[in-house]
Amino acid sequence: MGTDADNVRMFRTGAHACGYWAGREARDLVLDPRDPRLPQIYPLALEWGFRRSGDIVYRPSCPGCQACVAVRVPVASFTPDRSQRRCLRRNADIDARIVAPQRTDEHLALYRRYLVARHPGGGMDDHGASEFDQFLVGSWNDGRFLELREHATRRLLALAVTDLAAGALSAVYTFYDPDHGGRGLGTLAVLKQLEWAARDGRQYLYLGYWIAGHAKMDYKRRFQPLEGFNGRGWARLQA
């Protein structure tokens, strides 16, 4: 992974339930979470198809399966398509604000409502403050929260947890008000992260993993041009 990551230890986890396909088992390749160089290694890890969850930097490493493809958007080449422009117009009454990654009661309440509505019985719907901090804030990463608020009421409608890395942003997790699903808040969050990356002159927005044929992942392929990591390098993915 380059000289800054020389001799970094990696571990392969035991088998666990796949988070994307029911009935399948998965395994992950994890960077040593005790390595003090993780803040420096992390940008390189993103380039090699890893992502962050809490303090863990991992990528899927499943025997016989390569369905999870790390994807990123080259920021300077991105132009919203017709559907995304409609999403922006539909949400013209929403303000985006970048804030420190510090949990508030408002953040936690929205997070819990989202999990109960979107992931009932999935093991996350009982998350509280400690799980929020462990999963979304982390202890060593350089992160921010992107808040999406209704202009008139200042009500928080969505929050996108975003990491800052050299030359890039990484979309870690987004949650939103389930009562406003028709707004396309997940898409809006990515569009606002792309605007943010463009303002900062960052080269890429990393979007985590995409799986062909998976309904919950399909939205990512609409952010074109989209690049995918093939195990050796990055190549353009077609819509």
Side-chain angles (χ1 to χ4, degrees):
M1 291 172 59
T3 56
D4 289 341
D6 285 350
N7 303 315
V8 65
R9 299 178 68 191
M10 300 186 192
F11 305 95
R12 183 165 280 107
T13 68
H16 57 86
C18 176
Y20 302 111
W21 298 111
R24 296 189 188 182
E25 290 189 336
R27 299 180 74 178
D28 299 309
L29 190 64
V30 178
L31 302 189
D32 185 353
R34 297 165 297 183
D35 194 316
R37 298 171 295 166
L38 273 180
Q40 291 74 47
I41 294 170
Y42 183 43
L44 294 171
L46 288 171
E47 292 181 14
W48 282 87
F50 286 77
R51 77 184 270 98
R52 182 182 71 84
S53 176
D55 287 340
I56 301 300
V57 180
Y58 75 98
R59 73 181 186 192
S61 180
C62 306
C65 180
Q66 297 180 333
C68 293
V69 178
V71 292
R72 69 187 186 186
V73 182
V75 174
S77 302
F78 173 75
T79 301
D81 64 16
R82 182 180 301 175
S83 174
Q84 291 158 351
R85 292 194 298 271
R86 284 200 300 268
C87 180
L88 289 169
R89 290 194 297 270
R90 183 165 60 247
N91 292 292
D93 62 329
I94 289 182
D95 297 328
R97 185 176 69 151
I98 301 165
V99 300
Q102 298 173 348
R103 168 182 45 82
T104 67
D105 291 344
E106 185 182 30
H107 294 157
L108 180 59
L110 181 62
Y111 179 60
R112 289 177 57 83
R113 287 187 61 222
Y114 175 81
L115 292 179
V116 168
R118 297 281 296 191
H119 302 287
M124 294 177 67
D125 48 347
D126 61 349
H127 275 198
S130 61
E131 289 85 1
F132 183 105
D133 292 346
Q134 182 180 35
F135 174 43
L136 299 177
V137 178
S139 65
W140 55 260
N141 56 292
D142 187 8
R144 302 289 188 276
F145 288 172
L146 176 66
E147 295 182 341
L148 300 181
R149 292 184 178 274
E150 194 172 46
H151 181 78
T153 65
R154 309 311 303 158
R155 178 168 51 176
L156 180 67
L157 295 185
L159 190 149
V161 180
T162 311
D163 281 349
L164 283 63
L169 297 179
S170 179
V172 176
Y173 195 76
T174 297
F175 55 92
Y176 53 83
D177 189 332
D179 292 339
H180 291 264
R183 279 182 172 268
L185 293 169
T187 293
L188 180 66
V190 176
L191 292 169
K192 293 301 181 182
Q193 286 169 315
L194 283 163
E195 291 178 2
W196 172 9
R199 288 195 305 270
D200 281 4
R202 297 178 187 270
Q203 190 173 4
Y204 297 109
L205 172 65
Y206 288 89
L207 292 180
Y209 298 112
W210 170 76
I211 300 174
H214 195 291
K216 290 186 177 180
M217 297 287 189
D218 187 63
Y219 76 95
K220 295 183 182 183
R221 68 178 177 84
R222 298 174 188 155
F223 293 91
Q224 292 290 326
L226 187 67
E227 297 180 355
F229 184 71
N230 60 19
R232 298 175 302 277
W234 294 85
R236 173 78 177 270
L237 292 178
Q238 299 301 320

